[in-house]
Amino acid sequence: MATTNILSLIGWSFLPNLVTGWVQTIYYGLAIRAGDRKPAPGTPRHAAHRRRIHILVVSLYLLYTIYEADYELRRASDYYADLGVPHAASERDIKSRFRRLAALHHPDKTMGGGADADSADFFIHLKTASDTLVDPARRFAYERFGPDISSWKHCVTIRDYVGRGVQVVLPYYGFAAAAMYVLGLLGYLDWGRYWRWLTLAVLCVFELHVATRPAFPALLADVVNPLLVRFTAHPPYLPFQAVSLARRLSVTLYVAFSQIGPLLQQQQPPERPGETDEKALLQSLDRLEQTARGMDVDAARLMELEMAPFVGDPEAIDSMRSKLKEWLVQNTIRSDPMVKDALGRSFQKRRVDAPAGARGNR
């Protein structure tokens, strides 16, 4: 399994780029007529074609790796398929089926042929499968952790097998988390980092749920397996097979999405020269409006504080308002440079020899 994962990662590192170049060359040879110019490398058209072809190649390679992982699971088979019994078979059915197979594949029955060693190995395998599925504790452990439980020592009860299984599961996810963290520090697997960590956490919780629950997961028992049995010839999954497939797919999806994700991100269109200035002006106006509102609030508060001693005295308040208006006119409006300039131009238009009280400038 480790060798397969390493080979898969090596394949992901160079195969998509290599195949993308080949496919793009073949595409230009078929789609562009002789004599027409092909898009030169580095041009926007060439980059757009390469981007689309790369997404297609990575998607097809992703589907292939999914099929390959499922094919390896089916080729490895399981104890139920080897004995020819369903997952819900009773202890009596398993024993009866093993007796029939033992009558056909017992070494004493197949002596004299050239495949005595293979027959003996297959009989031993059938005996191991029968003994495992007949024992309730070992059957529970096999369905959740796979055939590796045959090498677990000092495990007798379901609690023993679950404890040993959790000890195997947690270090796997701890190592996976450490590897993801180190790759992130090195600059790999940057795209979709949040979803990658979320997927790892969900997968860990799912596997712990599978390992500790007495029944098959509802998603597997009520959705996936019924659909496989009804619409395909694919055998139903056992929990350990579903977990193994999910592990393989998670590694594959990490690498595939790291390559597809950046390509799917829409590039921001280049901004026109005037758009930047317009945005800056709008932002400045917004800040100015917020500042003016804040100053209005502060002025209202100060006015309330100044008028606090005159609350309840209408005459004093009216007198204060009239004086404030006069002060505003004298010190604010008339002192404004624009007002002064307008008054000056108005005085210049008046006739110099006009008598006092005359109106107009003619």
Side-chain angles (χ1 to χ4, degrees), residues 96-341:
S96 176
R97 182 61 180 172
F98 173 72
R99 285 194 293 267
R100 296 178 184 177
L101 294 175
L104 297 175
H105 301 283
H106 196 278
D108 295 340
K109 300 288 185 179
T110 58
M111 290 181 62
D116 292 345
D118 294 339
S119 299
D121 293 339
F122 184 65
F123 176 78
I124 295 174
H125 175 74
L126 293 177
K127 184 69 168 64
T128 303
S130 176
D131 294 342
T132 300
L133 299 183
V134 167
D135 187 316
R138 296 179 63 185
R139 182 175 182 174
F140 176 93
Y142 170 76
E143 291 174 347
R144 286 148 183 81
F145 305 110
D148 294 339
I149 64 161
S150 59
S151 61
W152 294 358
K153 306 298 183 182
H154 310 293
C155 292
V156 179
T157 64
I158 292 178
R159 181 184 295 271
D160 296 337
Y161 282 109
V162 170
R164 181 64 182 275
V166 171
Q167 293 176 4
V168 175
V169 169
L170 293 181
Y172 170 83
Y173 287 100
F175 175 78
M180 286 175 53
Y181 180 75
V182 172
L183 290 175
L185 293 179
L186 296 178
Y188 298 98
L189 305 178
D190 285 338
W191 189 87
R193 181 178 301 176
Y194 167 78
W195 296 106
R196 191 174 296 112
W197 283 104
L198 180 62
T199 302
L200 182 67
V202 170
L203 187 60
C204 179
V205 172
F206 171 73
E207 188 164 351
L208 291 176
H209 173 78
V210 170
T212 56
R213 296 296 92 190
F216 286 10
L219 178 64
L220 187 64
D222 300 335
V223 179
V224 177
N225 284 343
L227 291 177
L228 290 177
V229 173
R230 182 172 182 178
F231 296 104
T232 67
H234 194 289
Y237 288 116
L238 287 169
F240 82 88
Q241 292 175 325
V243 169
S244 176
L245 184 62
R247 286 185 178 185
R248 288 286 305 275
L249 295 185
S250 64
V251 176
T252 303
L253 290 174
Y254 292 163
V255 183
F257 289 164
S258 296
Q259 297 190 21
I260 294 179
L263 299 177
L264 293 178
Q265 289 180 341
Q266 296 182 355
Q267 299 182 354
Q268 296 293 337
E271 294 183 350
R272 291 177 294 180
E275 289 185 352
T276 304
D277 297 338
E278 184 178 356
K279 289 182 178 179
L281 178 60
L282 292 176
Q283 292 176 357
S284 300
L285 291 176
D286 291 338
R287 289 195 296 268
L288 181 60
E289 183 180 1
Q290 293 176 0
T291 304
R293 290 178 179 176
M295 294 180 65
D296 289 341
V297 174
D298 293 338
R301 291 177 180 175
L302 290 175
M303 181 63 68
E304 291 178 358
L305 291 175
E306 293 293 336
M307 298 295 291
F310 306 100
V311 175
D313 191 352
E315 294 181 359
I317 294 176
D318 293 339
S319 176
M320 183 66 69
R321 285 179 179 174
S322 62
K323 290 181 180 181
L324 283 174
K325 289 180 181 180
E326 183 179 355
W327 180 84
L328 287 173
V329 171
Q330 296 294 334
N331 295 278
T332 304
I333 299 178
R334 291 184 178 180
S335 63
D336 187 86
M338 296 180 65
V339 175
K340 288 182 178 181
D341 184 60

Side-chain angles (χ1 to χ4, degrees), residues 11-52:
W12 274 112
S13 63
F14 74 92
L15 276 181
N17 290 324
L18 182 64
V19 176
T20 298
W22 292 346
V23 173
Q24 190 169 10
T25 301
I26 297 172
Y27 169 73
Y28 284 159
L30 297 176
I32 299 179
R33 294 179 299 180
D36 294 343
R37 296 184 59 183
K38 298 179 181 179
T43 60
R45 186 181 178 189
H46 184 277
H49 290 166
R50 183 172 183 84
R51 172 174 167 272
R52 295 168 185 170

